[in-house]
Amino acid sequence: MTGTVTEKIINEHIIEGKIAPGEEVALKIDQTLTQDATGTMAYLQFEAIGIPRVKTELSVSYVDHNTLQTDFKNPDDHRYLQSIARRYGLHFSRPGNGICHQLHLERFACPGKTLIGSDSHTPTAGGIGSFAIGAGGLDVAVAMTGMPYRIKYPTIVGINLTGKLPDWVSAKDVILEVLRRIDVKGGVGKVLEYFGPGVKTLSVPERATITNMGTETGATTSVFPSDEVTKAFMVAQECGDHWVPLEPDADAEYDEIIEINLSELEPLAALPHSPGKIKPVREIAGLEVQQVAIGSCTNSSLRDLKIAANILKGHTVADNLHLSINPGSRQVVEHLIESGEMRYLVAAGARILENACGPCIGMGGAPSSHAVSIRTFNRNFEGRSGTKDAQIFLVSPEVAAATAIKGVLTDPRDLNDYPPIEMPQQFIINDNMFIRPLPPEESASVEIVRGPNIKPLPDFPPLPGTLEGEVLIKVEDNITTDHIMPAGAKILPLRSNIPEISKYVFEAVDPGFPARALDKSGGFIIGGDNYGQGSSREHAALAPKYLGVNAVIVKSFARIHLANLINFGIVPLTFKDAADYESIALGDKLEVFIGDLRSDVKLRNLTKDKEIELTHSLSQLDAEILKIGGKLPWVKAKVAK
Ligand code: MIC
Ligand code: SF4
């Protein structure tokens, strides 16, 4: 069979649908993962569906986001998740074990397998050749019942890598170069598949840095082939038995091709406040910096921290800044301790934080007022760091470590020789912070532990044929889920309590929104292009729904958020003519005739006495799900049958 890696994996997993870009296809899902911030909701939904045990080959519940325990809420959620894993046959990764994507890559990901995860950076596993997609928690709950996951058949973009990265330039610069070319919505509806002679020059964790941050282009996923480098990595992780070769055929055809010569790349940075705003570091070097943070699921592998350690060796972190480090996993830390390289980090003055997401999601490590913070992370949306007026730049570990020494943003090529790093032939395998699934005969009697922060799921009624209400908010292009439903140390612990968390919807954009929405008994959100980019958090749909929002009308949507809106019974509509966006204002009274959602939709603006045409990309199934009030009632009915 000829084909790309993407086609080969989809062909092996397709259950329903037509193979043509834009057509809906249903895929069998082999593996799922969740993390704690989206997991509590996903498992509340899984419980509500009512099947006795997960039906996937492997499902893992990780704890890595809500690890700051300032009161009972987060630790209660962790106990709930642990009891769920024991009751329903999941692997459980205990807090402190590491970041879900890094751990999954080290211990569970396999070439050729499908994986969906309730986290938008699930494509990290594409670095090993998994077809790994980020999804809302409810879609992951449904996949755990053994039902397929539906995607729009993607356009397949081949990224032809040639050459070899020069010293001081690393995988982060490859994905920043991709973002420079296609920006934060250039990947929507697409899979970014890497191929070409440059692939073999990149290790699996380097490939994973690239597929991880492919999310920031809006792509459905990113994937690398599985080759001898993949095999060596899996053998070193004692997972060699699960390796399979998976390469594109010589005559594979891509819908589009992007050429990247690795030898020509240079250190790049994403400027505030978008991962798509890219400039060479040399053009902005010299900027005074107050914080450097190394870590996150993009750049916290052993390779990344080794390079940072060896750059910092014998130096002290500059007086004017703080350096924090969040290792990706305990395996990374155990290696750094064994090799002695942890000492270089500690001696240089780095603040070694937990093996968790940490500052990446505003869980500690907020920068000072107006600070410039240089981070190896994947997102620099305004306010996400916890400090609204901070300026966040996204860079490679090489740039971050060089900057930590110099105190100003530094092109690492200005340092002396590139330090050699030695990677182990064999990784230290210590799985003692994973709790394995219980056998069915023991798991059935496990009691679920629920703390007072875990509130029951709200119920939503079926939608009427005509939606009425006021425009509750009107926002611009590229609104992120961090704008809609912020995270951070104060709000993240409320993820299993919808009434409470809904008080923070649009907090940084318009803090009056929740009260206004409740006061007006719901209404509409109007937005621009790429509405809902960023995270997979379904709370960005669930909480507005709780406040009474029944439709979001925008120029275009980001993929995961669109699916989440449908899942919770909010109708996602787009302007047929984008210019109509201008004709609607905050407070306008609208009537939207959705009918059976089989065709276009009419909007009557009662305030302006004007009619406009709206459209949508809903399949028949989506329409059915929306009309009955969301995916949970739909799936419950299906399972009951
Ligand atoms: C993120 O990076 O924004 C998160 C936190 O990992 C989210 C998930 C969440 O909101 O819990 C994601 O990327 O999906
Ligand atoms: Fe965690 Fe940040 Fe990765 Fe999201 S992007 S999973 S918050 S490390």
Side-chain angles (χ1 to χ4, degrees), residues 221-303:
T221 188
S222 303
V223 67
F224 270 83
S226 164
D227 57 9
E228 289 301 315
V229 175
T230 319
K231 183 178 182 184
F233 176 79
M234 292 185 75
V235 168
Q237 291 285 4
E238 290 180 8
C239 298
D241 293 351
H242 296 291
W243 177 77
V244 290
L246 185 58
E247 305 216 38
D249 294 321
D251 54 356
E253 278 181 26
Y254 295 94
D255 298 309
E256 290 167 34
I257 301 248
I258 295 177
E259 299 283 347
I260 295 185
N261 183 345
L262 300 173
S263 311
E264 287 172 359
L265 295 183
E266 62 173 320
L268 297 172
L271 276 51
H273 299 285
S274 172
K277 208 169 158 194
I278 309 293
K279 271 206 173 156
V281 172
R282 71 183 149 76
E283 285 182 22
I284 43 173
L287 186 67
E288 191 169 322
V289 171
Q290 285 73 41
Q291 183 191 53
V292 175
I294 299 180
S296 93
C297 54
T298 319
N299 280 118
S300 59
S301 70
L302 182 58
R303 182 257 162 221

Side-chain angles (χ1 to χ4, degrees), residues 35 64-65 99-101 119-122 124 212 216 295-298 300 356-362 377-379 384 492 535 537:
Q35 39 89 341
D64 54 2
H65 281 64
I99 304 176
C100 57
H101 307 302
D119 191 281
S120 64
H121 292 103
T122 303
T124 311
N212 169 286
E216 273 52 65
S296 93
C297 54
T298 319
S300 59
C357 301
C360 178
I361 194 60
F377 307 168
N378 49 36
R379 290 186 174 143
R384 180 176 162 102
L492 264 186
S535 110
R537 63 190 70 151

Side-chain angles (χ1 to χ4, degrees), residues 474-493:
K474 183 175 176 186
V475 290
E476 312 280 303
D477 290 349
N478 292 320
I479 284 295
T480 73
T481 52
D482 280 276
H483 290 113
I484 306 169
M485 188 72 263
K490 186 175 85 182
I491 305 175
L492 264 186

